[in-house]
Amino acid sequence: MMTQMMRHLAAPMMVMATVAVPAAPLMAQTVKRELVRYDNVQIEVMSQGRGPVIVMLPSLGRSGRDYDKVAANLQKDGFRVLRPEPRGIGRSKGPMEKLSIHDFARDIAKVVEHEKAGPVVVVGHAWGNFPARQLATDRPDLVRGVVLAAASAGKVPPGSTEKPINAEMREAIDGPSHTELPEEKRLEYLRKAFFAPGNDPRVWLTGWHKETHDAQGYARNNTPVDDYFAAGTAPILDLQAENDTVAPRRFSGVLKSMLGDRVQVVVLKNAGHAMAPEQPQAMADAIATFARRVYAK
């Protein structure tokens, strides 16, 4: 069985699904959508491919559609990719008031349980790194490894008096979701917080979901960092962006220094905090390499 798994991990494959979802022109893959329900919550999940499972969680107030190209590349590499939409996006819905990071992690736990594939690799981009780590802490039985992409560690190096994110940067992070603002002002915020110099920020003028943004912001502000910081005991890929101004590389050693050898650091060139629309192939390659390693164990 192990030999078959290793062969499967090493052999990329193209899988055609049955329900088409609009995607970038370069992609021929199609994507299935289904609903996972529990209690008074339902989560819409985009799925594609066959093979070891990678679950991808998007950034603050944004959809898993940001990963279209990354997911397509991972499918070609022989992985099954699940993209649960956060509450308030697509057909995902549930209570939105006074949520914690634990609540968002529970949504993902139900998706993983529904898949019945055993422990999986979870990718959390930007804000999505918080529920990814929380899931690994609350439900270690469901998580084989965690990829923290353009992630704020939530802490600063010992002795530093800086905040992980200052007020000026918080304004730039939240600004693009205010669609009532002039386009040029929103582009200014996008350039400052999300995109490396020379990369086009216009791809993120759309795709913002204010209710989700606010619910996730409340959860971040009202969940103690130590609840999720360590990501349980899972192996971690700290996937950093060379030009990230939100999670700047001067804080890049925090996870490694506090969590030790289970943290691997990879830096993507010519990428900012948005990462996925800037370097989809490099992002997919780094995730695939890490996933093959943890699945092989």
Side-chain angles (χ1 to χ4, degrees), residues 47-292:
S47 64
Q48 62 197 101
R50 285 187 283 182
V53 175
I54 297 175
V55 179
M56 309 190 76
L57 312 181
S59 182
L60 180 68
R62 295 195 61 84
S63 162
R65 290 300 308 272
D66 285 344
Y67 286 130
D68 277 353
K69 293 181 181 180
V70 180
N73 289 330
L74 288 170
Q75 179 181 347
K76 291 177 182 177
D77 280 343
F79 293 95
R80 175 163 171 76
V81 183
L82 305 181
R83 290 179 281 165
E85 291 284 39
R87 298 185 195 188
I89 299 178
R91 293 185 290 166
S92 291
K93 60 184 181 181
M96 300 292 284
E97 299 294 325
K98 296 184 178 180
L99 299 176
S100 72
I101 300 297
H102 295 274
D103 294 311
F104 286 100
R106 188 177 302 112
D107 293 347
I108 308 309
K110 296 301 182 180
V111 170
V112 177
E113 288 176 338
H114 179 77
E115 184 69 12
K116 295 181 175 64
V120 302
V121 170
V122 181
V123 179
H125 172 237
W127 183 91
N129 96 90
F130 303 138
R133 285 194 270 177
Q134 192 70 73
L135 178 65
T137 301
D138 293 348
R139 293 293 307 275
D141 57 307
L142 299 180
V143 178
R144 188 179 295 268
V146 180
V147 179
L148 308 180
S152 170
K155 296 184 179 185
V156 296
S160 174
T161 58
E162 285 190 76
K163 293 183 177 181
I165 297 176
N166 62 35
E168 182 181 1
M169 187 54 66
R170 172 53 55 196
E171 179 184 358
I173 293 167
D174 294 337
S177 68
H178 292 280
T179 55
E180 73 279 4
L181 292 175
E183 180 178 293
E184 192 49 50
K185 184 63 177 177
R186 295 176 67 226
L187 286 170
E188 177 187 327
Y189 285 139
L190 285 167
R191 291 187 187 100
K192 182 173 184 177
F194 292 102
F195 286 81
N199 293 342
D200 184 7
R202 290 183 177 275
V203 295
W204 269 24
L205 277 173
T206 58
W208 296 94
H209 300 266
K210 189 66 164 60
E211 185 183 21
T212 301
H213 174 283
D214 292 346
Q216 291 174 333
Y218 179 93
R220 177 197 63 234
N221 293 336
N222 290 277
T223 305
V225 173
D226 284 331
D227 279 15
Y228 55 79
F229 180 80
T233 59
I236 295 171
L237 171 60
D238 185 5
L239 186 56
Q240 301 172 8
E242 180 183 36
N243 304 107
D244 197 331
T245 56
V246 174
R249 298 203 61 236
R250 67 178 179 276
F251 296 156
S252 62
V254 173
L255 286 167
K256 182 77 171 176
S257 66
M258 293 186 178
L259 301 180
D261 289 342
R262 67 187 177 96
V263 179
Q264 174 193 4
V265 177
V266 172
V267 179
L268 297 191
K269 300 291 187 181
N270 192 31
H273 196 58
M275 189 180 283
E278 298 176 284
Q279 297 296 338
Q281 184 65 64
M283 185 178 184
D285 289 346
I287 293 169
T289 299
F290 173 78
R292 288 190 185 98

